[in-house]
Amino acid sequence: MSFKTLGQFIIEKQGDFPYAKGELSRLLRDIGIAAKIINYEVNKAGLADILGEHGVQNVQGEKQQKLDVYADEQFIQALSRGGECCYIASEEHEEGIDLTTQPYSKDAKYIVCIDPLDGSSNIDLNVSVGSIFSIYRRKEKEGQPVAIHEVLQYGHEQIAAGYVIYGSSTMLVYTTGKGVNGFTLDPSIGEFCLSHPDMKIPEEGKTYSINEGNYLRFPQYVKDYIKYCQMEDPISQRPYTSRYIGSMVADLHRTMIIGGIFLYPETQQYPQGKLRLLYECNPMAFIIEQAGGKALSGQERILDIQPTQLHQRSPIVIGSKKMVEKVEEFLMENE
Ligand code: AHG
Ligand code: MN
Ligand code: MN
Ligand code: MN
């Protein structure tokens, strides 16, 4: 059975974007190239002197891992060489990277926000990690330096978003606002092939995913919801199962496939929540909503938050629609 490659699929879907003359297709191709190169390193991390710390602290106050830096370099190289990207906001860079000074990126239309390597704490443990990307169309005329307001767009203005999961197999899952499609890397031909067409997240699930180590600091509505998940109720098949991998991409890919809910509320260490709006919450919220799920910061829809800083964080409750709505009920009761 021959599968459709990512490139063939993108060309086929070209019709969804009458105004685009192939730029978005080429941008997605460039992201796929970086993902394949990173995958090659991840798959032999233990043999490639790519494990462990890079010895530098990033703007997040995290100890950068070697693979954080390597993945960041690969995305920057692929995007700046591809000529379709005018600006990159990366978790690993305090300031954004303006590519309009580069000859063949000068007139590029697309801004890319990227989490080059998600789940860094799991790299040395051989546990699944990922990459996350979010694509916007610039608002000002091409050819001039990108202004920060062009980067700090609402999540609902995203043109495309996706993630790569470097797991038992490597998959690229993305949306351009017309549903979600999943591609599995076939290492024998080095191509991402369509394996999960039109992905939909189950409306209900039986798995909740949260770092319960922070329980004492959670807002009351979150504590109430965790207790709700743990109560015996055969009708709603509770108690639910608790699953927490510690890589957002892996926890949310499982949630996409079997349903469930993922929460990273505000904690003592992260009073605004830990996950970053521009390159973790927004892209994952766009994908989950396009698959029929829901994504809130608590009070509001993630995609309706007006960003004010590149690396701002947000609490997040995301997953199966009915489960997120149940959390909303607890939130309302506690208001
Ligand atoms: P990153 O590795 O890109 O910095 O992201 C790590 C994030 C996310 O992947 C995961 O859901 C979360 O950190 C786990 O945080 P805790 O270890 O605090 O639970
Ligand atoms: Mn991350
Ligand atoms: Mn990261
Ligand atoms: Mn990090």
Side-chain angles (χ1 to χ4, degrees), residues 103-151:
Y104 35 81
S105 304
K106 193 167 70 58
D107 298 325
K109 291 184 194 159
Y110 293 110
I111 292 166
V112 180
C113 303
I114 195 112
D115 178 357
L117 209 285
D118 174 68
S120 310
S121 59
N122 283 326
I123 294 169
D124 294 7
L125 319 179
N126 207 12
V127 169
S128 298
V129 293
S131 303
I132 312 173
F133 62 89
S134 168
I135 299 173
Y136 292 93
R137 218 174 133 82
R138 74 170 302 181
K139 289 186 171 272
E140 303 300 339
K141 218 168 100 27
E142 286 95 42
Q144 54 190 330
V146 175
I148 193 64
H149 75 82
E150 299 184 81
V151 188

Side-chain angles (χ1 to χ4, degrees), residues 58 60 62 68 91-92 115 117 119-120 276 280:
N58 64 11
Q60 322 287 339
E62 301 165 344
D68 278 326
E91 177 197 352
E92 304 305 336
D115 178 357
L117 209 285
S120 310
R276 283 60 54 112
E280 289 172 317

Side-chain angles (χ1 to χ4, degrees), residues 69-104:
V69 174
Y70 179 80
D72 180 62
E73 286 165 354
Q74 296 313 314
F75 277 109
I76 290 172
Q77 198 168 63
L79 291 169
S80 44
R81 283 182 180 164
E84 303 302 345
C85 173
C86 58
Y87 187 97
I88 303 171
S90 164
E91 177 197 352
E92 304 305 336
H93 293 263
E94 183 161 8
E95 305 300 325
I97 302 161
D98 191 319
L99 297 173
T100 55
T101 50
Q102 312 228 348
Y104 35 81

Side-chain angles (χ1 to χ4, degrees), residues 38 145 160-161 217 283 296 335:
I38 295 163
R217 297 286 177 173
L296 305 175
E335 278 203 322

Side-chain angles (χ1 to χ4, degrees), residues 12-32:
E12 184 187 283
K13 294 294 174 189
Q14 190 65 54
D16 289 349
F17 295 92
Y19 61 77
K21 296 183 291 300
E23 294 100 328
L24 181 62
S25 308
R26 286 191 293 276
L27 183 61
L28 289 167
R29 171 210 60 195
D30 298 337
I31 289 171

Side-chain angles (χ1 to χ4, degrees), residues 4-234:
K4 205 174 287 177
T5 67
L6 174 63
Q8 291 162 345
F9 181 83
I10 290 171
I11 298 294
E12 184 187 283
K13 294 294 174 189
Q14 190 65 54
D16 289 349
F17 295 92
Y19 61 77
K21 296 183 291 300
E23 294 100 328
L24 181 62
S25 308
R26 286 191 293 276
L27 183 61
L28 289 167
R29 171 210 60 195
D30 298 337
I31 289 171
I33 290 168
K36 285 188 236 180
I37 295 170
I38 295 163
N39 175 66
Y40 180 71
E41 284 303 308
V42 166
N43 279 356
K44 59 181 180 66
L47 304 172
D49 184 26
I50 199 91
L51 295 179
E53 293 180 6
H54 173 62
V56 172
Q57 203 177 59
N58 64 11
V59 65
Q60 322 287 339
E62 301 165 344
K63 290 197 184 89
Q64 265 182 333
Q65 300 299 303
K66 287 179 189 167
L67 206 53
D68 278 326
V69 174
Y70 179 80
D72 180 62
E73 286 165 354
Q74 296 313 314
F75 277 109
I76 290 172
Q77 198 168 63
L79 291 169
S80 44
R81 283 182 180 164
E84 303 302 345
C85 173
C86 58
Y87 187 97
I88 303 171
S90 164
E91 177 197 352
E92 304 305 336
H93 293 263
E94 183 161 8
E95 305 300 325
I97 302 161
D98 191 319
L99 297 173
T100 55
T101 50
Q102 312 228 348
Y104 35 81
S105 304
K106 193 167 70 58
D107 298 325
K109 291 184 194 159
Y110 293 110
I111 292 166
V112 180
C113 303
I114 195 112
D115 178 357
L117 209 285
D118 174 68
S120 310
S121 59
N122 283 326
I123 294 169
D124 294 7
L125 319 179
N126 207 12
V127 169
S128 298
V129 293
S131 303
I132 312 173
F133 62 89
S134 168
I135 299 173
Y136 292 93
R137 218 174 133 82
R138 74 170 302 181
K139 289 186 171 272
E140 303 300 339
K141 218 168 100 27
E142 286 95 42
Q144 54 190 330
V146 175
I148 193 64
H149 75 82
E150 299 184 81
V151 188
L152 301 178
Q153 296 185 43
Y154 286 105
H156 63 242
E157 297 181 275
Q158 288 174 93
I159 297 292
Y163 61 82
V164 183
I165 177 164
Y166 310 100
S168 42
S169 65
T170 294
M171 280 190 69
L172 186 150
V173 174
Y174 83 97
T175 182
T176 55
K178 297 185 181 311
V180 182
N181 291 284
F183 299 78
T184 299
L185 182 64
D186 178 340
S188 64
I189 57 169
E191 287 288 355
F192 282 105
C193 298
L194 182 64
S195 53
H196 296 64
D198 195 22
M199 295 174 79
K200 292 289 176 210
I201 181 172
E203 269 218 328
E204 275 286 7
K206 302 194 291 291
T207 305
Y208 72 103
S209 186
I210 187 169
N211 182 341
E212 296 195 47
N214 298 311
Y215 181 83
L216 293 178
R217 297 286 177 173
F218 285 152
Q220 191 54 46
Y221 78 92
V222 174
K223 290 180 178 175
D224 293 347
Y225 181 67
I226 291 173
K227 289 303 158 221
Y228 169 83
C229 293
Q230 294 168 344
M231 277 156 66
E232 304 263 344
D233 176 68

